[in-house]
Amino acid sequence: MSAEAITPQAETKEFQAEVKKMLDIVIHSLYTEKDIFLRELISNSADALEKFRHQQLLEQEVFDSHVPLEITIDCDETNHTITITDTGIGMDRGELEANLGTIAHSGSKTFFSKLSEGEQKNVHLIGQFGVGFYAAFMVANTVRVKSRSFRQDDMGHEWVSDGAGTYTISMSPGIRRGTSITLELKEEARHYANAATLTRIIKRYSSFVPFPIKVKGEAVNTVQALWTRSKNEIKAEEYTEFYKFVANAFDEPLARLHFTADAPLAIKALLFVPQENMENMGFGRMEPGVNLYCQRVLIEQHAKTILPEWLRFVKGVIDSEDLPLNISRQALQDSALVMKINKVVTTRFLKFLDELSRSEPEQYGKFWKTFGVFLKEGAISDFSHREEVAKLLRFESSTTEAGAFTSLKEYVERMPEGQKEIYYINGANREAIEAGPYVEAFRKRGIEVLYTLEAIDDFALNHVGEFEGKKLVSADRGDLDLPAAAKAAEAEAEAEAALPGAEATALVAWMQEVLAGKVKEVKESKRLSGSPAIIVNPDGFLTSSMERVMRASGQAMPDLGRKVLEINTSHPLLKGLNNLRASDEPLAKSVVEQIFDNAMIQAGLTVESRSMVERTYKILARLVGSGA
Ligand code: ADP
C-alpha cells in the first residue's frame, strides 16, 4: 500500500446524517441573531486554548510552545472574508473528521431530533445547546478550517466545506499550532467583514473569554475572572453578562450565589440557577454546568465531581487555589480534595437556597417548581446532604391552597398536640386525593396531610425518613398510629351504626376467603367513615405509589398477597352485602371482588380490566333485572 492510500492527499467525505439536519436548520431556519456565529467560534477557540494550557501543564513536549495564547480576528472587506485564529490545541486529520463531520454529543443529537419546526427557530433554546461550529454556515458560503495539533508529529491539514453535504480534507504543511477558520461570507452577511461590527459583537457576547481577543491587532476584551473580584465592586449587569457567558444563556439567572471561603479550603465560587430546566423540556440528561478552576486556570469544564450529580442544573465557576495546577482528569475523579470542595460548596449552596426561601419566598417557589425535582433526586441519592435537602422540600397539603406549597418545618409547627408523625399521601392530583378514602380519617381529626403529586415524591420522603425527630409516614400504611383521644370519640360514634361484632367477624372471614390469593388480610377498618373499603400497605415501607412506579419499570415485586383490604362495616354497602351473602352468594362474591378492585383503583394500582368489566356487566344486568 502506498503512503498516499493511508493518508490520502485530498479526500471528500459525506457529513453524518445528523450534521446534515443541523446544517439545514442553521442555514434555513435561524434567520435572527446571526451574530451568534462569532460567539460560537470564539467559544470553540477559547476551549481549544484552555485545553492547550492544561495539556502544557501535563506534558513537556508540545509543538510551538512559545506562541502566545490568544484569539486573533481579521477581516477583508474587499474579498468579504473573516478569519478567526487561535493558538489552541488544534486538530489533526482524524480529529477534523470526527469533530467537524459528526455530532459527538448525544445531548445535541436528541435535542435536534426532538425540536419541532417552530422551536428550531428559537435561538434561545438552540443557544443553550449551541450549534457550535456549524453556526459558521449561518453567514458563510464556504468555511475553511486550517488546523495543526499540539502533538509533535502532526503536519497540519485543511478542511473545506460549503455546508451542502460534503467536506474535503487535504494536507496543509507549514502552519502554526492551533486553528484558523476562514469564512467566505454570503452576500447578505457581507457587512460582518468590518472591524467595528466584529468588535461590537465580541463586546456583547464574549467579553468574559479568558484569553485576549484581538480584532485587526487591537485588543477588544480585558481578560478578567469576575469570581475573583470582591462582591461589592461587581455590578448586577456584570453578573448577568457573566452568567450569559458561562451558561450560554440569553436571559437573566433565577438566582445567584457568589462566595469566598478561606477555611478549611480556599474557595471562590460564583454559581447561578438558570430560569429553565432543560431536562423538563425533554432534552435528556444535562451535563454538569460548573467549571473548575485553580487560580483562574481552567482545570475542567463541566466538571463531573466538583458538585453532586443532582446539582447538575447549577451553572458557574468554582476556583480553588488548593488544587494542584497539573492535576489530571483521572486524578480529579478520585481526589479527596475535590470531594472536600464538593462538600463545602454543596452545603453553602443548600444554605443559600434555604435563606432564599425565607428572604424571597416567591422566587423560591419559582425555583422549586422548576428545579425541585433535582432536590428530590438529591434526597434519594445523597445521604450526606439529606437533612439539608429535607428543609428545602415543598409540597401541597390539605392545609395549603391548591398550587401553594408548604415545608416540612411549617407542617411540624402546625402539628396539633398528640400528633407524632408527619403524614403524606400520593395521588394524581389534589382533587383525586381529596375525593379518595385515604384522607378521611385525617380530615376528621384535623390532621394535615401532605399531598405528594409526583411519583418521585414518595421515594424522596421515604429516604428522608424523618424530620425534626418526626417520622414521615404514608397515609396508606396499615398500622397508622393516629392520636388516641380523637380515636375514642370516633369509635363511639361508629360503633352505633356498625354491624354487630360477631356478624362483622364472620363477614370479614368470608370476604377473606373470597379474596384468597389476592389479599394478605381483610380487616375491619378503624379509619374509614364515608368510603366502604380501602387498600393499605402492611409493612409501611412501600407505598402504593412506589409500588406502581416499580412495577412500571419492570422490577420484580412481592406479590399482591401483601395488601390488606380494610372494610367499613358501618357502610350501607357492607351491611347490604352481609344480607346478600345469605340470599345470593354468587352475586355477593362478585360484589366483594368489585369492592376490592375499586379500592385498588383508588390506591392508584392496576386491576385486570377485562374480568372487571365482565363482572360489572353481570352485576348491572342483575340490577336492571335482565336475569342474566
Ligand atoms: P462543541 O463545541 O459543542 O463540542 P462544535 O460543533 O462547536 O461542538 O465543535 C465540535 C468539536 O470540534 C469541539 O468539541 C472541538 O473538539 C472541535 N473544535 C471546534 N473548534 C475548534 C478549535 N478552534 N480548535 C480546536 N478544536 C475545535
Side-chain angles (χ1 to χ4, degrees):
M1 218 187 273
S2 71
E4 241 178 2
I6 301 164
T7 42
Q9 252 298 319
E11 211 182 1
T12 299
K13 298 202 159 192
E14 290 260 322
F15 284 114
Q16 187 194 31
E18 281 89 354
V19 175
K20 286 187 191 166
K21 184 155 185 224
M22 166 108 79
L23 281 168
D24 193 55
I25 295 170
V26 168
I27 295 168
H28 297 110
S29 309
L30 289 175
Y31 297 117
T32 54
E33 303 269 357
K34 277 194 199 296
D35 290 6
I36 64 158
F37 84 90
L38 193 58
R39 181 194 76 174
E40 298 292 301
L41 296 180
I42 288 177
S43 128
N44 278 351
S45 287
D47 289 351
L49 287 161
E50 297 274 18
K51 284 184 198 157
F52 177 77
R53 182 151 67 178
H54 192 238
Q55 202 63 42
Q56 215 173 7
L57 294 169
L58 298 178
E59 320 181 14
Q60 301 302 318
E61 299 287 291
V62 286
F63 176 62
D64 263 359
S65 59
H66 62 283
V67 296
L69 300 184
E70 61 183 14
I71 300 167
T72 48
I73 299 177
D74 246 308
C75 58
D76 180 336
E77 293 194 49
T78 326
N79 292 310
H80 317 296
T81 61
I82 304 174
T83 302
I84 297 140
T85 305
D86 65 66
T87 50
I89 197 160
M91 287 175 275
D92 62 20
R93 189 178 193 115
E95 288 166 330
L96 280 166
E97 274 183 33
N99 295 340
L100 308 186
T102 62
I103 300 180
H105 288 296
S106 53
S108 319
K109 262 193 211 173
T110 22
F111 171 69
F112 272 96
S113 59
K114 283 202 173 140
L115 279 187
S116 68
E117 288 263 308
E119 287 169 332
Q120 286 174 358
K121 292 178 191 147
N122 186 340
V123 275
H124 289 240
L125 286 178
I126 290 176
Q128 296 230 338
F129 266 77
V131 285
F133 168 74
Y134 303 105
F137 290 98
M138 288 163 74
V139 295
N141 286 321
T142 302
V143 177
R144 263 169 218 287
V145 181
K146 287 191 181 192
S147 196
R148 182 165 184 174
S149 160
F150 73 99
R151 292 185 198 89
Q152 295 285 3
D153 58 355
D154 184 40
M155 303 305 290
H157 293 87
E158 185 179 45
W159 178 106
V160 186
S161 177
D162 60 2
T166 61
Y167 60 90
T168 302
I169 296 193
S170 54
M171 304 253 268
S172 178
I175 55 177
R176 291 196 315 188
R177 183 198 72 232
T179 303
S180 158
I181 301 183
T182 301
L183 310 175
E184 294 175 13
L185 296 170
K186 294 179 183 179
E187 211 172 318
E188 71 269 20
R190 286 184 174 170
H191 61 281
Y192 283 115
N194 173 280
T197 306
L198 294 171
T199 302
R200 176 184 57 78
I201 301 173
I202 293 166
K203 289 206 156 129
R204 166 137 185 238
Y205 289 113
S206 310
S207 46
F208 287 98
V209 168
F211 295 94
I213 305 176
K214 293 178 182 159
V215 173
K216 292 212 157 196
E218 294 257 335
V220 173
N221 63 333
T222 34
V223 176
Q224 51 176 339
L226 191 71
W227 62 92
T228 59
R229 284 169 46 196
S230 136
K231 264 205 258 192
N232 41 28
E233 284 174 8
I234 304 175
K235 294 196 207 89
E237 304 90 76
E238 286 181 286
Y239 277 125
T240 301
E241 286 307 308
F242 184 73
Y243 163 69
K244 289 181 181 173
F245 168 71
V246 280
N248 250 356
F250 284 83
D251 45 9
E252 304 250 324
L254 189 102
R256 169 189 87 219
L257 169 65
H258 185 186
F259 80 92
T260 305
D262 297 317
L265 291 160
I267 296 171
K268 291 184 166 65
L270 178 49
L271 305 176
F272 299 94
V273 176
Q275 299 278 355
E276 272 346 313
N277 171 0
M278 297 301 275
E279 286 187 17
N280 251 355
M281 305 175 87
F283 298 143
R285 207 174 173 79
M286 272 189 258
E287 265 199 302
V290 171
N291 303 332
L292 180 62
Y293 284 77
C294 170
Q295 296 175 47
R296 305 172 188 215
V297 174
L298 182 71
I299 305 292
E300 193 185 13
Q301 191 159 31
H302 307 302
K304 294 221 162 31
T305 44
I306 198 65
L307 284 182
E309 219 191 322
W310 52 274
L311 286 180
R312 59 189 176 279
F313 63 95
V314 178
K315 311 276 183 191
V317 166
I318 296 174
D319 191 327
S320 173
E321 59 189 59
D322 289 329
L323 279 169
L325 257 178
N326 60 352
I327 189 166
S328 73
R329 295 274 151 90
Q330 193 44 46
L332 273 178
Q333 300 295 314
D334 25 59
S335 154
L337 194 60
V338 170
M339 291 325 294
K340 264 193 219 156
I341 299 176
N342 179 322
K343 178 125 192 97
V344 172
V345 179
T346 303
T347 302
R348 184 66 187 79
F349 183 70
L350 295 177
K351 188 172 150 221
F352 160 73
L353 288 178
D354 189 38
E355 286 162 1
L356 183 74
S357 76
R358 272 174 279 136
S359 63
E360 290 177 64
E362 229 169 83
Q363 194 72 349
Y364 186 78
K366 226 160 121 189
F367 163 81
W368 174 254
K369 276 194 196 139
T370 314
F371 297 102
V373 63
F374 291 98
L375 298 189
K376 293 172 193 172
E377 185 184 322
I380 293 167
S381 63
D382 192 344
F383 188 78
S384 56
H385 296 287
R386 203 158 282 172
E387 276 179 34
E388 298 145 272
V389 171
K391 282 193 208 159
L392 299 169
L393 299 176
R394 297 291 183 273
F395 298 98
E396 284 196 38
S397 89
S398 51
T399 307
T400 67
E401 304 203 346
F405 298 113
T406 186
S407 66
L408 294 175
K409 191 172 169 49
E410 289 160 347
Y411 179 105
V412 169
E413 283 164 6
R414 282 191 293 264
M415 271 168 64
E417 210 174 316
Q419 183 185 345
K420 297 187 211 70
E421 298 170 326
I422 300 172
Y423 299 104
Y424 62 95
I425 187 70
N426 185 273
N429 52 56
R430 194 179 175 94
E431 294 71 32
I433 291 176
E434 294 188 338
Y438 292 98
V439 290
E440 279 177 12
F442 296 90
R443 195 180 293 137
K444 226 167 30 180
R445 291 167 174 79
I447 294 177
E448 182 172 2
V449 183
L450 299 171
Y451 297 164
T452 59
L453 303 177
E454 309 287 339
I456 190 177
D457 292 350
D458 284 18
F459 288 94
L461 289 176
N462 196 275
H463 277 84
V464 170
E466 59 171 59
F467 184 81
E468 294 185 356
K470 313 276 186 295
K471 271 212 189 90
L472 288 152
V473 175
S474 173
D476 65 7
R477 177 178 167 144
D479 52 349
L480 281 183
D481 185 13
L482 295 177
K487 215 192 259 179
E490 175 203 17
E492 219 169 89
E494 266 164 25
E496 281 174 55
L499 280 179
E503 270 183 66
T505 314
L507 178 67
V508 161
W510 173 75
M511 284 180 74
Q512 190 156 321
E513 227 169 81
V514 176
L515 295 173
K518 286 189 168 175
V519 294
K520 181 181 173 211
E521 201 186 352
V522 178
K523 266 165 101 171
E524 255 191 276
S525 183
K526 302 247 174 359
R527 62 163 94 178
L528 290 176
S529 46
S531 302
I534 190 172
I535 291 284
V536 297
N537 294 296
D539 55 18
F541 174 70
L542 206 61
T543 71
S544 294
S545 108
M546 289 161 76
E547 175 169 337
R548 191 170 63 235
V549 173
M550 289 165 81
R551 275 181 194 281
S553 66
Q555 293 192 45
M557 293 292 308
D559 77 314
L560 264 188
R562 294 177 323 97
K563 298 274 172 214
V564 171
L565 180 72
E566 285 192 4
I567 56 164
N568 176 2
T569 53
S570 42
H571 194 279
L573 178 61
L574 273 298
K575 287 189 197 157
L577 176 68
N578 196 37
N579 298 333
L580 185 67
R581 184 158 74 95
S583 61
D584 184 346
E585 186 160 358
L587 180 62
K589 278 185 179 164
S590 293
V591 172
V592 170
E593 281 163 1
Q594 193 56 44
I595 289 175
F596 173 71
D597 276 3
N598 286 1
M600 288 289 280
I601 291 171
Q602 283 187 308
L605 295 165
T606 46
V607 297
E608 211 279 283
S609 64
R610 194 179 53 87
S611 57
M612 184 186 107
V613 170
E614 269 173 26
R615 185 193 315 122
T616 45
Y617 279 145
K618 234 161 68 191
I619 299 173
L620 289 172
R622 288 293 298 267
L623 187 67
V624 297
S626 78

